[in-house]
Every structure is written in C-alpha cells, then in structure tokens.
C-alpha cells in the first residue's frame, strides 16, 4: 500500500496553521502602531522624518512606540519560527521558495524586535544638531546598531514578501496571497527604491526628499502584506 506525500504546511490537517496566522496577523496590526502619530502630538513631520524617530530616547512617546515595535517583531518572529518548525517536521512541505520566505519573515521579526532595544538617541532628520553629531560619530553606538538591525529587518521583509508570494503562485497555495501578493511586491519594491534614494540624498546633505513619506509607505505595505499572509494561512486552514 503506497504512502501519500506530505502536503503543504498550510493545509488544515497540519496543526499550528491557526497559531501561525494569529501570530503574524497580530504582529501586522502592532506594526502599524506608528499611525497613532496622526492623533498624538509627536512634534515630528511624517513627510520628512524616519519612522524610527518616533521611538527615539528623547521622544516623550518613545517608550510607547518602542513597545509596539518589540511586540510586532516578537509576534512575527514567533509566527515565522513556528512555520519553519512545521516545514522541518514535514519534509514533503519543505519547498525552497516556502523555506526562504518563512526564513525572511522570521528574520524580519527578530530584527524588528531588536530595533526596539537599539533606539536612536535623537532625531537626525528633524534636529540639525543631532544630524551633525551623527555625522561626526558623536552619538551612541545604538545609532549604528539600529541602522544594521533596520537594514536586516527590511531585508528579511523583502525576502519574505517576494519568496512567499512566488511560493503561493508556484505551488498553488494561499490563494489570496497568490492573487494580490504580486501587486504588493511591485509597490513594496518601488517604495523601497524611493526610501533608499531619499536616505542616500539626505546622507549626502541634499535634503530629505520626503524620506518619511516613502518609508511610511514602505512599512505600511509590509504590514498589509503580513496581514494578507495571515489571512491566506487562516483561510487555507479552513478550506
């Protein structure tokens, strides 16, 4: 009597799909906490400033935004890690694009959580004195560490967004992600290009070029994609 190959990890008979969907979905919600700046008085211009400047040590609401960043990162990290564990447990589900994608999601979560423990000490885009100290290397080492963790977080996000969207289409799983994911991939890549270009121009002393707007669009699209991923995993578990 022949044996049947293990199905994908997101099929309903595999335990844990609900936990993955819940953790990633809650993480996506927490990752949008920065929109509270619309109703809270932060003193920062959202068009020109880094999102991470909301969590700077000298910001009155910095503790709130650091807490939400850590919560978002931890939840997504746990969701991604659980998905990876399930891939390891069921070899038939261990497909390259899926493994790479969940690894990217896990990296994003871990690096985002680390960001919360490596806050900026001041706001370089809003405070010329802070920018001058940063250029001269007179700021705490957390500034450089934060830049590294933020870069790792976005690298993980891009890997996850691209790889899991490809996996959804190639393996014909996670139907909502397969349908809407490609559009989010294109928008995320465009927002990332805008953000990186603006950061380069700001670093070179040529103004911010709406750096804050580009980065806010970038992180909003990540949150939307994570929400879509959570919905897709949850929906497939029920079908």
């Amino acid at each position: 009597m022949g044996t049947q190959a293990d199905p994908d990890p997101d099929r309903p008979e595999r335990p844990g799909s609900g936990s993955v969907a819940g953790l990633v979905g809650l993480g996506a919600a927490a990752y949008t906490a920065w929109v509270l700046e619309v109703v809270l008085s932060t003193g920062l211009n959202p068009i020109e400033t880094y999102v991470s400047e909301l969590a700077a040590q000298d910001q009155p609401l910095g503790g709130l935004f650091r807490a939400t960043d850590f919560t978002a990162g931890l939840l997504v990290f746990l969701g991604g890690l659980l998905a990876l564990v399930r891939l390891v447990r069921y070899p038939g589900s261990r497909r390259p694009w899926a493994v790479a994608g969940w690894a990217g999601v896990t990296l994003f979560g871990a690096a985002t959580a680390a960001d919360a423990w490596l806050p900026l000490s001041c706001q370089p885009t809003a405070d010329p004195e802070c920018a001058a100290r940063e250029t001269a290397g007179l700021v705490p080492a957390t500034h450089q560490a934060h830049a590294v963790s933020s870069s790792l977080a976005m690298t993980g996000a891009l890997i996850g967004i691209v790889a899991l969207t490809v996996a959804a289409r190639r393996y014909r799983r996670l139907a909502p992600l397969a349908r809407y994911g490609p559009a989010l991939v294109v928008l995320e890549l465009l927002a990332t290009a805008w953000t990186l270009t603006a950061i380069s121009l700001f670093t070179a002393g040529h103004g911010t070029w709406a750096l804050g707007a580009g980065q806010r669009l970038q992180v909003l699209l990540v949150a939307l994609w994570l929400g879509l991923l959570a919905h897709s995993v949850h929906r497939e578990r029920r079908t």
Side-chain angles (χ1 to χ4, degrees):
M1 186 173 181
T3 57
Q4 188 175 21
D6 284 328
D8 276 356
D10 298 304
R11 290 185 64 86
E13 61 267 24
R14 292 304 185 204
S17 293
S19 298
V20 171
L23 289 166
V24 173
L26 289 172
Y31 196 57
T32 62
W34 56 269
V35 301
L36 291 173
E37 68 180 336
V38 174
V39 296
L40 298 176
S41 179
T42 65
L44 297 176
N45 183 348
I47 304 298
E48 308 294 342
T49 59
Y50 291 115
V51 177
S52 56
E53 289 177 287
L54 292 167
Q57 288 179 320
D58 64 352
Q59 276 290 298
L61 297 174
L64 168 65
F65 291 109
R66 288 194 295 274
T68 55
D69 277 351
F70 177 74
T71 300
L74 181 62
L75 289 169
V76 174
F77 168 74
L78 292 174
L81 187 63
L82 178 58
L84 285 174
V85 168
R86 293 171 62 232
L87 288 175
V88 170
R89 288 183 61 189
Y90 304 110
S93 303
R94 211 178 301 157
R95 293 168 173 171
W97 285 105
V99 173
W102 284 112
V105 169
T106 304
L107 172 61
F108 164 77
T112 298
D115 261 356
W117 294 96
L118 301 168
L120 299 174
S121 63
C122 53
Q123 304 88 44
T125 62
D127 182 357
E129 183 178 342
C130 175
R133 292 203 310 272
E134 191 173 66
T135 300
L138 300 177
V139 290
T142 51
H143 278 242
Q144 290 185 340
H146 182 86
V148 172
S149 60
S150 294
S151 297
L152 287 174
M154 195 48 58
T155 298
L158 290 173
I159 292 172
I161 288 171
V162 172
L164 282 177
T165 300
V166 170
R169 294 180 66 83
R170 175 169 291 192
Y171 309 142
R172 298 183 181 180
R173 310 303 310 172
L174 305 174
L177 183 60
R179 181 176 182 180
Y180 300 109
L184 288 176
V185 168
V186 172
L187 291 173
E188 179 62 28
L189 292 176
L190 290 174
T192 298
W194 174 5
T195 302
L196 292 177
T197 300
I199 290 174
S200 297
L201 290 169
F202 173 69
T203 303
H206 300 303
T208 60
W209 290 82
L211 186 159
Q215 192 181 50
R216 280 163 176 76
L217 177 60
Q218 183 188 40
V219 298
L220 177 61
L221 289 167
V222 171
L224 289 174
W225 182 87
L226 287 170
L228 178 62
L229 173 64
H231 169 66
S232 301
V233 173
H234 176 69
R235 176 176 169 177
E236 186 149 303
R237 174 175 173 265
R238 296 178 59 188
T239 57

